[in-house]
Amino acid sequence: MMRLLVECTYVFEHPHMNSGIQRVVRNVIGHLESVNSDAECIPVVFFRGRMYRVLHLAPPHGTKEPWHSRMKTVLERMRNYYWLKHSRLERRWPMSHSHNARRALYVLAKLAGLAISVPLRAVMYASRNYVVPDRMEPLDVLPGDQLLLLDSSWHADFFPVAERLKAQGVGLISVIYDLIPCTHPQFCDASLVKVFDVWFDWIAEKADGFICISTTIRDQVRAEIVRRRGEHAARQLWFEHFYLGSELDLVHDRSALDGALVRMFDEGDPVYLMVSTIEPRKNHAYLLDAFERLWAQGSQARLCIIGRIGWKCDALIERIQSHPQLNQRLFMFNKLNDRGLEYAYAHARALVFPSFVEGFGLPLVEAMQRQLPVMASDIPVFREVGGDFVAYFDLKRPETLAALVQEYESTGRFPAARSVADWRWLGWRDASQQLVSRVLHALKRRREVSREVEMS
C-alpha cells in the first residue's frame, strides 16, 4: 500500500498558533484517520535532520510546553512590541525631520534591546539540546512513499533531508496556499519575500506535483513555474486543487468569552466584522475610510476588527488606537479565542473583507457557513469561492462599500444576487478527503501517462 507522509513540522513545534495555515494543517491532520483511500496517511515532522511519525500533534490539554519554548514565545512577542514602539517614535519630531536623530534613536534602541535579544539567543541555543518529545517516534521511509508538504515548509530548514528522501525514491508534493510573496512583495516582510523566493525556486525544481487551495492559485502556480523553468518543465509536473473546510476547531466550553466583546454586541447597534491578521494586504485602512463616510452621515453601523497584529501596520494601529470612535463605533480585538470568534460570527450583521489579494479567504467561508452574509473585494478567488452569494465592492472606491452598508441597513435586504441561506460548503472532513483523493488521482494519472510514453 502506498504511504502518504503528510508533513506538519511548524504546527507540531507551535501547537498554539492559530492563523490560517496552522488552522488548515491542524484540521487536515485531525481528519486523516477518517479519510477513505487506498493509501496509508501518516502525519510526519522533521527534527534534527530526521523524519518522525507524529503520535500527537499537540500536547495533552493542560500540559506545559518546555520552558525554553514558552520563554521563546514571550521574548519574541516582547521583541515585536518593542520595535513596534520604536517605529512609532521614529515618526515623531525630531526623528521625523532629522536623519541624525533617527540614527541616534536606533543606536539607543539597539543597545536597550539587548535586554531582550541576548536572552532570546540564549533560549534558542538551549532549545538545540531539547530532548525528542514523546509526541513522535522515528519513521523510516520506503521507496514509493509520497511526501506531502502540507505545512508552511518555507519556515523549515529541511532541504537536505528532503533531497535525501528523493534520492531514496520518495515522491515530493507541495501544497501551495498562495504566491503573495512573489506576486505582491510590497505586502510582505522583506525577509519573508527572500526566504519564500529561495524556497519556491527549490520546490519548483524538486516537486513532482502541486496541489493548491483554489483553482485561482493553481493557475498562478503553473504560470510561475513556466516563468521560472519554462513550459517543457511545467508539462512534466501535475497541478491540482482542493478547497478548505470551515469549522473552528478550537472552540472549547472552558475557554472564556471576552466581556468587552459580549458588551459590544449587547448594545444592539449592527456590527460589521473584519476577521484577519492585521497586515497591509488585508486593507484595513479601506474599511476605516468607508466607515468614516458612514459615521459622518450619521450611520449607527459599527466596525469590529478581529485579528492579531502582524507586520507593516504601525501607522494603521496608531490610527485605530487614536480614533475618536474607538470603543464607541470602532472596536478591535487582537487576542480573541475561537469561542469568541464563533460568538462574533453568530451575532454580527455581516463580514466585510477588503483584501487586495488572497489564496482563499478562510474567514469568508467561515462566515457564510454560519449564514453570516459577506461583503468582499471583487478579486478572482472571492468570485470563485463566494459566487453570487457575496456582495462585491470596488477596491478603488471606499464609497462603494459604504453604499452597500447603507442599502443593507435601510432596506434590510442583503445586496447580493443570491441569499447566503442557500449557500453550501464542505467541512474539514470532506476537505481532507478531497485533498487526499485528488493527490492520489493525480499520481495515478501521472503514472498512466508515463507508461503510455514508455510504450510509444
Side-chain angles (χ1 to χ4, degrees):
M1 176 184 287
M2 178 191 295
R3 300 196 307 180
L4 188 64
L5 312 178
V6 186
E7 183 267 333
C8 52
T9 306
Y10 188 82
V11 169
F12 183 87
E13 294 177 347
H14 303 81
H16 302 300
M17 290 286 287
N18 196 29
S19 59
I21 294 178
Q22 287 80 51
R23 190 183 293 280
V24 175
V25 173
R26 206 170 49 243
N27 279 284
V28 170
I29 296 299
H31 288 88
L32 281 183
E33 291 185 357
S34 64
V35 168
N36 180 23
S37 77
D38 296 330
E40 180 185 4
C41 299
I42 304 172
V44 299
V45 296
F46 293 106
F47 189 78
R48 293 181 183 169
R50 282 206 59 185
M51 178 181 286
Y52 291 80
R53 178 197 294 262
V54 173
L55 304 177
H56 304 285
L57 190 57
H61 185 73
T63 302
K64 288 187 177 181
E65 292 182 84
W67 69 268
H68 48 76
S69 295
R70 299 197 307 274
M71 185 61 69
K72 180 172 177 285
T73 300
V74 170
L75 289 170
E76 284 177 338
R77 287 175 180 169
M78 289 175 62
R79 180 188 60 188
N80 294 341
Y81 181 76
Y82 178 82
W83 287 107
L84 175 65
K85 288 292 187 183
H86 169 264
S87 63
R88 289 179 183 172
L89 281 174
E90 272 192 322
R91 294 196 299 274
R92 298 186 182 276
W93 187 89
M95 282 70 70
S96 59
H97 292 80
S98 168
H99 171 77
N100 290 336
R102 281 196 304 275
R103 184 64 186 170
L105 175 67
Y106 176 77
V107 171
L108 290 173
K110 196 74 174 174
L111 290 172
L114 291 174
I116 299 172
S117 61
V118 170
L120 180 56
R121 287 179 179 274
V123 165
M124 294 175 71
Y125 180 80
S127 66
R128 293 182 178 181
N129 299 317
Y130 180 36
V131 177
V132 174
D134 57 8
R135 294 184 287 130
M136 62 185 186
E137 63 182 16
L139 178 71
D140 293 324
V141 298
L142 303 172
D145 284 349
Q146 299 293 323
L147 176 60
L148 177 66
L149 299 178
L150 177 66
D151 213 333
S152 48
S153 54
W154 51 91
H155 288 300
D157 182 19
F158 64 84
F159 289 1
V161 186
E163 290 173 7
R164 188 173 70 242
L165 295 178
K166 283 220 56 161
Q168 294 176 255
V170 176
L172 185 61
I173 305 157
S174 181
V175 175
I176 305 290
Y177 293 91
D178 61 64
L179 293 180
I180 292 168
C182 296
T183 59
H184 297 78
Q186 69 273 26
F187 295 141
C188 303
D189 183 79
S191 60
L192 172 61
V193 173
K194 187 179 298 184
V195 167
F196 191 92
D197 188 64
V198 171
W199 172 82
F200 195 82
D201 266 345
W202 178 81
I203 203 70
E205 181 180 345
K206 301 299 180 182
D208 303 301
F210 298 86
I211 184 160
C212 308
I213 59 173
S214 63
T215 61
T216 302
I217 300 304
R218 178 199 64 194
D219 296 343
Q220 286 182 7
V221 169
R222 193 185 190 286
E224 185 67 13
I225 296 291
V226 170
R227 188 183 74 82
R228 294 186 184 222
R229 298 191 58 208
E231 178 64 35
H232 177 74
R235 287 178 181 172
Q236 312 308 309
L237 307 172
W238 56 265
F239 302 86
E240 253 294 0
H241 81 283
F242 77 109
Y243 287 125
L244 307 183
S246 57
E247 303 97 320
L248 298 177
D249 61 307
L250 295 184
V251 177
H252 301 301
D253 292 337
R254 288 172 291 182
S255 58
L257 272 176
D258 189 308
L261 180 79
V262 175
R263 287 192 296 274
M264 178 189 68
F265 284 108
D266 285 347
E267 290 171 1
D269 289 331
V271 176
Y272 289 76
L273 289 183
M274 171 59 177
V275 178
S276 173
T277 300
I278 301 175
E279 45 143 321
R281 72 179 173 89
K282 301 297 185 175
N283 206 12
H284 290 77
Y286 177 99
L287 284 183
L288 291 177
D289 292 342
F291 275 81
E292 283 171 356
R293 286 174 178 269
L294 290 166
W295 297 330
Q297 297 166 9
S299 174
Q300 297 302 305
R302 290 181 292 173
L303 174 62
C304 175
I305 295 170
I306 296 175
R308 67 180 179 85
I309 296 175
W311 49 92
K312 292 187 175 182
C313 60
D314 302 342
L316 175 69
I317 297 300
E318 188 171 2
R319 179 181 175 186
I320 293 171
Q321 292 178 341
S322 61
H323 201 285
Q325 293 293 340
L326 184 65
N327 297 325
Q328 297 180 53
R329 294 180 184 173
L330 172 63
F331 300 83
M332 181 168 66
F333 298 89
N334 303 125
K335 297 180 181 179
L336 209 62
N337 58 31
D338 271 12
R339 188 179 177 203
L341 182 55
E342 190 76 60
Y343 187 91
Y345 280 140
H347 291 83
R349 182 76 160 152
L351 181 80
V352 284
F353 210 46
S355 289
F356 286 109
V357 60
E358 288 285 344
F360 182 76
L362 196 53
L364 183 147
V365 169
E366 291 173 348
M368 294 177 70
Q369 189 73 343
R370 291 157 179 77
Q371 305 297 295
L372 180 66
V374 173
M375 299 175 179
S377 47
D378 194 358
I379 59 177
V381 73
F382 286 171
R383 287 281 182 179
E384 178 182 345
V385 174
D388 293 336
F389 298 94
V390 170
Y392 299 98
F393 48 80
D394 185 346
L395 280 178
K396 296 180 180 178
R397 301 168 57 221
E399 63 269 22
T400 59
L401 171 57
L404 290 176
V405 173
Q406 281 181 322
E407 179 182 348
Y408 191 23
E409 291 304 314
S410 61
T411 67
R413 179 187 175 279
F414 190 73
R418 300 180 64 184
S419 171
V420 69
D422 299 326
W423 190 79
R424 297 291 180 272
W425 198 255
L426 70 171
W428 280 113
R429 180 176 180 177
D430 292 332
S432 304
Q433 179 70 55
Q434 190 179 87
L435 167 63
V436 173
S437 297
R438 291 186 176 181
V439 165
L440 296 182
H441 180 70
L443 290 171
K444 179 181 178 182
R445 190 170 64 235
R446 178 58 62 179
R447 285 195 298 268
E448 290 172 350
V449 169
S450 297
R451 282 197 296 267
E452 289 174 2
V453 171
E454 291 174 0
M455 294 173 61
S456 62

